[in-house]
């Protein structure tokens, strides 16, 4: 996924404990040591008036303990109407069940009582209107303004809010689904979508590859489709689909590039669903159907590294998955590394280097304000929300470790290792200890004297970034840094900057390096020359509005409010609310914007903003 906001976590557990706890997930109630789900069959009705999914979930089971008589599943705010079991050779039997008291993070355990192990259980249920994993949108909240829209976001532990199941990445299952929705609307899932399916209100899906629960996904709305290659298509609202298809025209090239590096794409199709602006993340790597934010549609393909990131998850994350959320760097660090390799192959080394420099600079900027225990790659946050796992350290520090391994062993040897890693652990969920057990004989010992296991463990277990961590250089960035210094020193006017040819990454680099704060007069001069207030590029606008808030540059406020109201991506809007909340006037302005914008935000975005606005912050 790209990109979760940085959150704080607790101290590290010893990696040695991982192997013994390979199937233990503190964020799930499921008794996976006794029984695991093998497959899921959903039969659901979509009701926009009630804002609910209602129907049945049938779970096929593998029993590991024949003496076990209880099946424990994860739920959050589901109404359970009945449970029955199917025993081989016999009729279905009604089962007793109980829902535990609700935990604010984990939800409620569903405990199903059996008198003997059953081949499957069928649960009749309804989701709640406020399900944390679903967003129900009115027509006014969509681009087309004519039809409602609904989409899911199951990562990290939100699948349990719309399906009763073992909501842990340590369990993988196949699934089928029969979904009924209002006619004229299209239903899509993380499965085998048919681009030619009639909009008849009746949709069936199959995912024949085993996936973890957080990759279960659904969306329903006024969705058009345009094919972009022999195994790729773009789904989006009709007013967006053409621009999305143009922006993502290189999808097939990206797939082919990654296959050459790391082996065959094993998921059949790779389609992209561009969601309404309220989608809280940059992208979500749902297999066969990446969910993407419309904020990357800027017309010049400068932000399509997001697609490279989500595609990379088809190998690192979807194919080889972290077994518990404290090991999230196995998903995101590996994916961020692979993403950069895709960008280099498709768009050139200069853009790939610029993107990594930006990420590395941002991470180093966070070191001073991030407690040392939170800088480790495998933090212990067993008592925290699973959503807290998505720090920049999991993404960028994880990728930096892999870049270091590549530099030490050479690209040819490291590529061969990584391809073998994906093959060896394909369709499995693993821990960091298992990754290291494979790394040692297959890379470290195979090429002795280049990097030791102790050095690798230091990256994982120690805070910070090792002093010898390498960073590429960029001639363009060097030139931009020089011009920025001249402007700040008053020896070059803003209008004299050689910025007409800057790409998105170069604008980001210029703005990221501005001192905090500038004077309002400086921003006024810059704005008169380059017109960044109201910029259509969301990444550039985010940085400009942060500078405007710090400088108290009031002319930017109207466009800033419009930006914060039309975009629901947490990474783009949450920092603006947090910065505004540092002064009484800014806090009042932020609360006014939020009062109007709140209905268009996803519940996850609402929660982050409300936390930021809960109390006045000091500079």
């Amino acid at each position: 996924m790209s990109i979760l906001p940085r959150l704080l976590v607790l101290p590290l557990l010893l990696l040695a404990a991982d192997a013994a706890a390979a199937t233990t997930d503190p964020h799930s109630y499921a008794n996976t040591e006794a029984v695991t789900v093998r497959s899921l069959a959903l039969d659901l009705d979509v009701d926009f008036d009630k804002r609910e999914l209602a129907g049945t979930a049938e779970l096929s089971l593998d029993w590991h303990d024949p003496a076990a008589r209880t099946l424990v599943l994860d739920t959050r705010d589901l109404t359970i109407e009945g449970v029955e079991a199917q025993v081989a050779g016999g009729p279905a039997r009604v089962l007793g069940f109980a829902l535990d008291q609700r935990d604010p993070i984990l939800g409620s355990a569903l405990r199903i009582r059996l008198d003997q192990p059953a081949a499957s259980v069928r649960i009749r249920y309804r989701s709640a209107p406020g399900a944390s994993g679903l967003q129900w949108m009115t027509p006014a909240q969509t681009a087309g303004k004519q039809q409602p829209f609904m989409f899911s976001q199951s990562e990290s532990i939100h699948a349990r809010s719309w399906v009763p199941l073992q909501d842990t990445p340590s369990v993988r299952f196949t699934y089928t689904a029969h979904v009924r929705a209002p006619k004229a609307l299209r239903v899509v899932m993380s499965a085998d979508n048919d681009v030619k399916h009639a909009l008849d209100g009746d949709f069936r899906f199959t995912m024949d590859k085993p996936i973890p629960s957080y990759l279960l996904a659904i969306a329903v709305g006024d969705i058009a489709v345009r094919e972009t290659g022999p195994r790729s298509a773009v789904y989006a609202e009709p007013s967006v689909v053409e621009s999305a298809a143009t922006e993502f025209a290189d999808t097939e090239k990206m797939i082919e590039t990654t296959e050459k590096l790391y082996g065959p794409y094993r998921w059949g199709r790779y389609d992209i669903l561009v969601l309404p602006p309220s989608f809280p993340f940059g992208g979500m790597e749902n297999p066969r159907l990446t969910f993407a934010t419309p904020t990357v549609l800027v017309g010049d393909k400068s932000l399509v590294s997001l697609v490279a990131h989500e595609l990379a998850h088809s190998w690192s994350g979807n194919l080889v998955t972290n077994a518990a959320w404290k090991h999230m760097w196995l998903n995101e660090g590996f994916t961020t590394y692979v993403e950069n390799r895709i960008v280099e192959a498709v768009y050139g080394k200069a853009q790939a280097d610029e993107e990594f420099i930006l990420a590395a600079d941002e991470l180093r900027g966070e070191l001073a304000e991030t407690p040392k225990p939170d800088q480790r790659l495998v933090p212990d946050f067993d008592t925290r929300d699973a959503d807290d796992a998505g720090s920049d350290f999991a993404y960028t520090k994880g990728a930096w470790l892999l870049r270091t391994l590549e530099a030490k062993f050479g690209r040819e040897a490291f590529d061969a290792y990584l391809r073998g890693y994906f093959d060896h652990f394909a369709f499995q969920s693993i821990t960091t200890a298992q990754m290291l057990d494979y790394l040692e004989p297959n890379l470290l010992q195979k090429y002795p004297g280049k990097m030791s296991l102790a050095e690798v463990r230091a990256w994982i277990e120690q805070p910070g970034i090792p002093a010898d961590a390498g960073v590429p250089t960029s001639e363009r960035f060097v030139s931009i840094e020089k011009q920025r210094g001249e402007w700040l020193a008053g020896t070059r006017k803003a209008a004299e900057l050689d910025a007409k040819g800057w790409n998105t990454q170069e604008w980001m680099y210029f703005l990221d390096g501005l001192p905090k704060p500038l004077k309002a007069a400086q921003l006024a001069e810059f704005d008169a020359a380059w017109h960044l207030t109201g910029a259509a590029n969301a990444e550039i606008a985010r940085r400009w509005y942060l500078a405007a808030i710090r400088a108290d540059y009031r002319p930017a406020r109207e466009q800033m409010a419009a930006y914060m109201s039309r975009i629901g991506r947490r990474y783009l809007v949450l920092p603006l609310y947090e910065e505004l909340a540092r002064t009484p006037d800014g806090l009042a302005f932020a609360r006014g914007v939020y009062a109007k914008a709140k209905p268009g935000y996803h519940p996850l975005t609402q929660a982050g903003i409300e936390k930021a606005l809960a109390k006045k912050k000091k500079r």
Side-chain angles (χ1 to χ4, degrees):
M1 179 170 52
S2 176
I3 296 173
L4 288 170
R6 178 175 52 84
L7 293 165
L8 301 184
V9 290
L10 300 176
L12 178 71
L13 280 180
L14 294 175
L15 291 177
D18 291 342
T23 59
T24 300
D25 183 350
H27 294 101
S28 172
Y29 291 116
N31 56 334
T32 55
E33 74 288 349
V35 56
T36 51
V37 173
R38 183 176 68 253
S39 64
L40 164 69
L42 289 170
D43 190 286
L44 297 173
D45 290 294
V46 180
D47 192 323
F48 279 95
D49 292 333
K50 295 181 179 179
R51 299 164 69 94
E52 73 174 21
L53 297 177
T56 62
E58 183 170 352
L59 309 175
S60 298
L61 305 171
D62 278 337
W63 291 87
H64 313 301
D65 179 1
R69 294 295 181 267
T70 303
L71 169 65
V72 185
L73 302 176
D74 295 300
T75 76
R76 180 185 287 140
D77 303 326
L78 297 180
T79 298
I80 307 299
E81 298 178 332
V83 182
E84 59 184 22
Q86 182 67 56
V87 180
R93 294 179 293 105
V94 174
L95 298 177
F97 65 89
L99 275 173
D100 286 0
Q101 185 175 350
R102 186 185 191 277
D103 179 88
I105 294 176
L106 301 180
S108 304
L110 172 60
R111 302 182 186 276
I112 300 171
R113 298 183 292 274
L114 303 98
D115 54 14
Q116 60 180 306
S120 66
V121 297
R122 182 183 293 113
I123 303 161
R124 192 170 68 257
Y125 73 98
R126 289 181 286 112
S127 67
S132 64
L134 301 175
Q135 183 172 15
W136 300 87
M137 306 178 68
T138 66
Q141 294 171 306
T142 68
K145 311 297 184 186
Q146 300 299 313
Q147 298 285 357
F149 203 106
M150 181 274 288
F151 65 88
S152 66
Q153 173 56 37
S154 294
E155 190 177 6
S156 299
I157 57 171
H158 300 284
R160 67 190 66 183
S161 74
W162 63 283
V163 182
L165 75 180
Q166 294 178 322
D167 196 10
T168 167
S170 67
V171 174
R172 305 176 71 103
F173 54 87
T174 59
Y175 79 86
T176 61
H178 182 196
V179 182
R180 290 164 295 277
K183 290 183 178 181
L185 300 186
R186 186 186 300 272
V187 181
V188 291
M189 294 192 74
S190 53
D192 58 340
N193 297 285
D194 178 5
V195 297
K196 295 181 171 58
H197 198 294
L199 303 184
D200 58 3
D202 193 281
F203 292 79
R204 295 177 185 270
F205 303 92
T206 299
M207 168 51 79
D208 60 357
K209 303 291 192 294
I211 65 168
S213 56
Y214 74 90
L215 296 178
L216 192 64
I218 187 171
V220 184
D222 183 11
I223 301 171
V225 58
R226 296 290 184 273
E227 295 188 78
T228 55
R231 49 182 165 171
S232 63
V234 169
Y235 292 82
E237 290 189 72
S239 63
V240 177
V241 71
E242 296 294 349
S243 61
T246 299
E247 200 83 1
F248 301 145
D250 294 332
T251 299
E252 178 62 27
K253 187 187 299 185
M254 289 185 179
I255 299 172
E256 292 173 352
T257 295
T258 318
E259 287 183 315
K260 290 176 184 176
L261 290 170
Y262 305 121
Y265 179 75
R266 309 187 198 207
W267 301 92
R269 292 187 61 84
Y270 180 77
D271 297 332
I272 302 169
L273 170 65
V274 180
L275 287 164
S278 65
F279 184 50
F281 304 115
M284 181 63 215
E285 63 271 18
N286 301 310
R288 297 185 185 167
L289 188 67
T290 279
F291 284 14
T293 171
T295 61
V296 300
L297 304 179
V298 294
D300 62 1
K301 300 183 181 179
S302 61
L303 297 180
V304 296
S305 57
L306 178 135
V307 174
H309 184 94
E310 306 310 335
L311 171 64
H313 269 303
S314 301
W315 284 262
S316 49
N318 298 5
L319 187 65
V320 183
T321 304
N322 51 228
W325 292 111
K326 69 180 178 181
H327 300 286
M328 192 176 188
W329 84 276
L330 295 177
N331 280 18
E332 298 299 350
F334 276 68
T335 291
T336 302
Y337 170 82
V338 173
E339 166 202 339
N340 199 251
R341 292 291 304 278
I342 297 170
V343 170
E344 177 182 328
V346 177
Y347 299 105
K349 188 173 186 300
Q351 180 169 328
D353 286 348
E354 287 183 352
E355 291 185 2
F356 183 75
I357 292 168
L358 286 168
D361 284 352
E362 185 172 353
L363 186 68
R364 284 183 296 206
E366 294 173 0
L367 290 174
E369 61 186 52
T370 304
K372 290 187 182 299
D374 305 333
Q375 300 173 15
R376 296 160 169 167
L377 282 182
V378 187
D380 172 19
F381 63 105
D382 289 0
T383 61
R384 300 286 298 276
D385 194 323
D387 287 342
D388 291 3
S391 74
D392 284 347
F393 290 89
Y395 286 76
T396 304
K397 184 179 178 181
W400 212 335
L401 167 56
L402 300 191
R403 289 177 67 97
T404 301
L405 288 168
E406 179 199 317
K408 297 281 190 181
F409 292 90
R411 179 165 283 190
E412 182 178 355
F414 187 66
D415 281 354
Y417 155 76
L418 200 52
R419 181 166 181 161
Y421 167 86
F422 292 137
D423 288 341
H424 181 76
F425 291 114
F427 299 107
Q428 296 181 54
S429 299
I430 68 170
T431 66
T432 300
Q434 290 172 283
M435 184 280 291
L436 291 174
D437 286 344
Y438 184 81
L439 176 74
E440 189 171 16
N442 290 286
L443 188 66
L444 306 185
Q445 293 176 352
K446 191 174 181 179
Y447 305 98
K450 295 182 181 295
M451 191 171 184
S452 68
L453 180 61
E455 290 174 298
V456 176
R457 281 188 174 275
W459 270 89
I460 295 169
E461 299 174 4
Q462 298 300 316
I465 304 296
D468 62 348
V471 183
T473 59
S474 165
E475 291 183 5
R476 296 278 290 175
F477 279 7
V478 171
S479 171
I480 290 167
E481 186 169 9
K482 181 175 181 292
Q483 293 183 63
R484 182 175 57 211
E486 291 169 348
W487 175 64
L488 291 171
T491 59
R492 184 194 287 250
K493 294 181 179 179
E496 295 172 348
L497 294 170
D498 184 23
K500 288 183 179 179
W502 290 356
N503 63 25
T504 297
Q505 287 72 31
E506 288 155 3
W507 272 109
M508 290 164 65
Y509 183 76
F510 180 90
L511 294 169
D512 281 346
L514 293 177
K516 306 173 184 177
L518 290 172
K519 295 179 180 178
Q522 290 174 294
L523 290 194
E525 183 216 353
F526 199 92
D527 208 10
W530 297 104
H531 311 292
L532 294 191
T533 296
N537 186 306
E539 288 279 5
I540 294 172
R542 170 186 181 266
R543 287 160 171 80
W544 175 252
Y545 292 136
L546 281 172
I549 294 166
R550 291 164 183 151
D552 196 24
Y553 178 55
R554 298 299 179 96
R557 280 200 171 183
E558 181 179 351
Q559 288 297 327
M560 185 194 310
Y563 173 91
M564 295 164 71
S565 297
R566 71 173 180 268
I567 293 174
R569 185 179 173 187
R570 284 166 58 107
Y571 157 77
L572 293 176
V573 299
L574 187 55
L576 303 184
Y577 281 102
E578 290 174 335
E579 195 66 32
L580 284 164
R582 294 180 182 274
T583 65
D585 178 75
L587 181 61
F589 173 75
R591 285 174 172 164
V593 173
Y594 182 60
K596 297 177 181 178
K598 179 179 178 179
Y601 288 145
H602 187 279
L604 295 176
T605 305
Q606 293 175 0
I609 294 171
E610 287 169 7
K611 181 178 179 181
L613 300 185
K615 58 182 180 179
K616 177 180 176 181
K617 297 186 177 182
K618 297 180 180 179
R619 286 194 186 276

